[in-house]
Amino acid sequence: LAFNALSTLQLCSACVGYAGIVDKPLGGATAVTLFETLAKAELAVPVGRYPAARYSLLKVTPVTGTYHQIRRHLNRIDRPIVGDTDHGDRAHNRLWG
């Protein structure tokens, strides 16, 4: 997946080892988001019920819709953006807060 003017980098909780497409309507409208894993990391710090904190750096591109759909789509595939207070994971947000 190539970068374009709409691409953005996002740090997400949980490791993603692949590229993919999230094609899930939001609010009745078509919404498609592409993502690709650029890097993964694990910290030896317990977070929530997990013994270590795992993160992925993703390149994310909204194909339709707006940037807000990125937050909702990543949360829907259980890869919430770190620091997102509305759609993120509170335990990871506290670690980075």
Side-chain angles (χ1 to χ4, degrees), residues 4 6-8 10 12 20-35 58-81 84 86-88:
N4 67 37
L6 298 176
S7 296
T8 182
Q10 300 294 332
C12 299
I21 299 171
V22 182
D23 185 357
K24 297 196 185 273
L26 298 172
T30 301
V32 178
T33 302
L34 306 176
F35 67 92
L58 302 180
K59 178 183 72 175
V60 186
T61 306
V63 176
T64 58
T66 65
Y67 283 110
H68 178 71
Q69 81 183 35
I70 292 172
R71 298 165 56 204
R72 293 181 64 192
H73 272 171
L74 291 177
N75 187 48
R76 283 193 177 183
I77 62 168
D78 296 322
R79 303 301 184 257
I81 296 171
D84 184 345
D86 292 331
H87 304 285

Side-chain angles (χ1 to χ4, degrees), residues 10-62:
Q10 300 294 332
L11 180 64
C12 299
S13 58
C15 282
V16 180
Y18 53 89
I21 299 171
V22 182
D23 185 357
K24 297 196 185 273
L26 298 172
T30 301
V32 178
T33 302
L34 306 176
F35 67 92
E36 180 180 7
T37 303
L38 301 178
K40 297 184 287 184
E42 184 171 315
L43 303 177
V45 176
V47 176
R49 66 179 191 225
Y50 301 103
R54 297 170 59 190
Y55 299 96
S56 295
L57 179 64
L58 302 180
K59 178 183 72 175
V60 186
T61 306

